[in-house]
Amino acid sequence: MRDSHRPAGAPGGSASGPDAPGLDRALVWMRRDLRAHDHAALYHALKNARQVWCAFVFDRDILDPLPRDDRRVAFIRECLLDLDAALRELGERHGTAGVRLIVRHGRAVDEVARLAHELDVAAVFTNRDYEPQAVERDARARGALADIGVALYLSKDQVVFETDEVMTATGTPYNVFTPYKNAWLRKLEDFYVRAYPVARHARHLAPLPASVQGGVPDLHAIGFEDTQVAELKLHGGTTQGRALLADFLERIDRYDEARDFPGIKGPSYLSPHLRFGTLSVRELARLAWDRMRAGSRGAETWLAELIWRDFYHQILHHHPHVVGHAFKRDYDRIKWEHGKVADALFAAWCGGRTGYPLVDAAMLQLNQTGWMHNRLRMVTACFLIKDLGLDWRWGERYFAEKLLDYDLAANNGGWQWAASTGCDAQPYFRIFNPVNQSQKFDPQGKFIRRYLPAFVKLPDRAVHAPWAAKPADLEAAGFVPGRDHPPPIVDHNEARRRTLERYAVVKDKVQAALKPMQVKVFD
């Protein structure tokens, strides 16, 4: 394996990677890449500098607005504990004792510049982040570091292909997924999913200086409360991520068939680990690509999910207006429900009190665990937008507050897909029927009963729409509609009609779509 890594972008977008040989000291600023293996910035720092330290900043610009029991902060802390141990072990294995992760709490730009000065480093290495606020933060960090004579080097790490790496033949970005996926797969070769050989240069990891405090603070020290990621046991750190990956690899060949059924173990559950970089996206893409080429349909489907991730990141890069606005700008003309009634509908949706069992169970899963099954993300989003008539941005913000795996590009892309406002989104007239979705993807009500215990004794046929159940079934189960579960807050058929009318401002043929034979219900 050769040392050069063409995919790792350097400042200015060079494809050869940061090349600053002969540095005496360097700092690696870790953010969405909380691992000590296959790490672009860490590799380049170790390759180019004689002494290297690693640091993470609990950025107050991000943390201060969060609730004090935000489970993502607890997840990050678990990642840092695991990373600290991995760095210590990596150093000892290559002859250096006392290697520790340095953790700070403050404004990231200030803390990184201060730490760079304390350590007297010549350069800071970090991996590129594509979110608008992160891009602006990194620009300020570059300036603050330049003021003290320190260089900032950026590398590609969180995606396989970034920004302009997969473009159309005319040099424009793709706005439709399938041709993007095909171009992505054509471009893919072993080089792009090859691991960075961090261990090769690990002898350059430096012990923590006596004057610098290391170690990971507890949550109270940074103003947060202890919290548990309930039920799903989604804990942070590469060790936990690898355990989940090993389990998923035993199931990946069935992923294409199992992924849509929330009552069974179908998903990978790896999205939080991708979000915080405890696992390398190159490693995951390589595993899926190898299995796909061996004939696995499940691996092919899962690789497509990783490609969607790259796709939404390049959409965010080329079309930053999607943050706060519809990708299809005409859709900003849609008039959403507002006022006290809309507020009450939104509160019912957030709290899992819509009266539709699958929607409510999904929202309770999100509220209780910080994670939601992908099929149910689509169901709940479509319900908010096309049954309740509420602005998709309300749901996008709620998911951003609750999801352990929250990622701006993917979350925005998913919500705009459901709202039909995004690139390559579902057509406006394809509307999920929440009862049909329940019957199709949770036929025995296993998932519903997990989060709605009052449904445990109901027969399967009554679980999906208890308001339509036979009185004898309700009585036998001791289930009282209205007491044990609220009635539906909207009538789906009426809501569908209003949705088609609502979208008429951007679809001049919507009246034709109102004809029963032309309306497609997304079952």
Side-chain angles (χ1 to χ4, degrees):
M1 181 186 297
R2 62 188 188 275
D3 267 359
S4 62
H5 257 75
R6 185 176 45 183
S14 167
S16 61
D19 187 16
L23 294 175
D24 184 36
R25 300 179 172 197
L27 175 67
V28 178
W29 177 15
M30 295 182 158
R31 292 105 66 101
R32 295 178 52 145
D33 42 23
L34 304 180
R35 64 185 184 277
H37 69 282
D38 190 10
H39 190 292
L42 179 58
Y43 167 80
H44 287 299
L46 292 170
K47 181 185 174 186
N48 286 291
R50 285 182 285 273
Q51 288 185 298
V52 174
W53 293 274
C54 299
F56 176 87
V57 179
F58 279 110
D59 190 349
R60 292 193 59 177
D61 287 341
I62 297 172
L63 298 188
D64 283 357
L66 300 179
R68 298 297 91 183
D69 62 349
D70 194 299
R71 55 171 55 91
R72 289 169 294 192
V73 182
F75 187 91
I76 291 170
R77 183 176 180 273
E78 290 181 338
C79 293
L80 298 181
L81 290 169
D82 194 74
L83 174 59
D84 184 44
L87 289 170
R88 184 167 57 248
E89 191 274 334
L90 186 62
E92 290 173 351
R93 193 154 32 96
H94 291 83
T96 305
V99 175
R100 299 297 302 275
L101 177 68
I102 302 169
V103 180
R104 292 287 182 266
H105 179 223
R107 296 186 67 249
V109 172
D110 299 337
E111 294 298 328
V112 169
R114 185 177 297 117
L115 187 56
H117 176 72
E118 290 178 24
L119 295 169
D120 192 25
V121 301
V124 172
F125 291 77
T126 195
N127 290 321
R128 193 172 289 114
D129 193 334
Y130 307 96
E131 296 186 2
Q133 288 184 332
V135 172
E136 193 255 338
R137 175 203 61 204
D138 289 351
R140 287 187 286 112
R142 186 183 295 280
L145 290 168
D147 287 343
I148 59 173
V150 177
L152 178 67
Y153 294 103
L154 299 175
S155 296
K156 179 185 73 172
D157 190 79
Q158 70 171 270
V159 293
V160 175
F161 294 121
E162 66 177 357
T163 57
D164 300 332
E165 288 191 288
V166 179
M167 304 287 277
T168 68
T170 60
T172 58
Y174 285 96
N175 294 333
V176 179
F177 176 70
T178 298
Y180 174 84
K181 181 185 75 171
N182 293 338
W184 192 101
L185 288 168
R186 285 194 301 271
K187 187 178 180 71
L188 187 64
E189 57 183 79
D190 180 69
F191 188 87
Y192 290 104
V193 289
R194 185 181 303 173
Y196 284 90
V198 169
R200 178 175 298 176
H201 304 285
R203 65 187 181 278
H204 294 148
L205 283 170
L208 185 72
S211 61
V212 177
Q213 182 178 357
V216 182
D218 63 30
L219 291 171
H220 296 288
I222 59 173
F224 283 82
E225 301 170 6
D226 290 326
T227 183
Q228 296 295 321
V229 183
E231 186 174 328
L232 290 177
K233 309 300 182 186
L234 289 174
H235 293 289
T238 296
T239 302
Q240 294 292 326
R242 287 208 176 284
L244 287 175
L245 176 59
D247 177 77
F248 178 57
L249 289 177
E250 296 181 359
R251 302 180 283 108
I252 191 173
D253 295 332
R254 302 186 301 277
Y255 177 77
D256 57 321
E257 300 173 350
R259 66 176 182 145
D260 279 324
F261 297 87
I264 64 176
K265 196 176 184 180
S268 72
Y269 306 107
L270 291 171
S271 54
H273 292 275
L274 265 173
R275 166 61 180 84
F276 293 106
T278 66
L279 299 176
S280 161
V281 68
R282 287 177 295 277
E283 175 185 16
L284 301 184
R286 184 174 62 253
L287 289 168
W289 189 41
D290 288 345
R291 293 282 276 268
M292 180 189 80
R293 289 182 293 176
S296 171
R297 291 294 300 274
E300 180 181 2
T301 302
W302 193 61
L303 181 60
E305 295 300 311
L306 297 179
I307 300 173
W308 269 107
R309 184 172 176 270
D310 276 13
F311 177 67
Y312 280 142
H313 272 92
Q314 68 93 24
I315 289 293
L316 178 63
H317 171 76
H318 288 286
H319 306 281
H321 73 274
V322 298
V323 180
H325 296 280
F327 174 85
K328 301 172 184 174
R329 294 177 184 270
D330 284 348
Y331 282 70
D332 281 333
R333 296 161 49 204
I334 293 175
K335 302 297 183 183
W336 305 104
E337 298 295 328
H338 62 280
K340 292 183 178 179
V341 172
D343 291 343
L345 292 173
F346 182 63
W349 178 83
C350 292
R353 303 187 306 274
T354 69
Y356 287 89
L358 186 64
V359 173
D360 292 342
M363 294 305 296
L364 291 172
Q365 180 184 46
L366 174 64
N367 293 336
Q368 293 173 21
T369 72
W371 188 85
M372 187 190 289
H373 189 279
N374 187 61
R375 164 62 55 175
L376 302 184
R377 297 187 195 204
M378 294 188 287
V379 170
T380 56
C382 191
F383 186 86
L384 177 85
I385 299 160
K386 295 180 178 178
D387 278 77
L388 302 184
L390 301 181
D391 192 329
W392 58 270
R393 284 159 285 223
W394 291 16
E396 182 192 21
R397 284 193 295 270
Y398 191 76
F399 273 29
E401 293 170 4
K402 295 292 183 180
L403 282 173
L404 190 62
D405 59 10
Y406 168 68
D407 176 277
L408 172 59
N411 191 51
N412 179 271
W415 275 95
Q416 295 225 38
W417 181 90
S420 305
T421 63
C423 59
D424 203 16
Q426 68 164 338
Y428 72 98
F429 52 78
R430 295 183 72 191
I431 301 171
F432 280 114
N433 181 319
V435 175
N436 290 353
Q437 288 284 305
S438 181
Q439 293 169 336
K440 184 174 183 179
F441 295 110
D442 191 27
Q444 297 176 315
K446 290 181 180 179
F447 177 81
I448 289 173
R449 291 187 177 96
R450 186 180 305 160
Y451 289 96
L452 297 173
F455 284 64
V456 168
K457 294 182 179 180
L458 282 176
D460 295 350
R461 61 180 176 273
V463 163
H464 312 286
W467 62 88
K470 296 178 180 179
D473 287 341
L474 297 174
E475 184 177 356
F479 187 97
V480 179
R483 182 196 71 184
D484 296 321
H485 194 243
I489 56 176
V490 292
D491 176 81
H492 175 69
N493 290 329
E494 175 61 21
R496 185 182 66 190
R497 184 190 65 78
R498 290 197 303 270
T499 290
L500 295 172
E501 292 176 347
R502 190 185 313 280
Y503 279 76
V505 298
V506 289
K507 296 293 181 184
D508 55 6
K509 296 182 180 180
V510 73
Q511 292 303 320
L514 283 168
K515 295 179 181 179
M517 293 302 292
Q518 290 178 282
V519 174
K520 296 181 181 179
V521 179
F522 198 5
D523 291 335

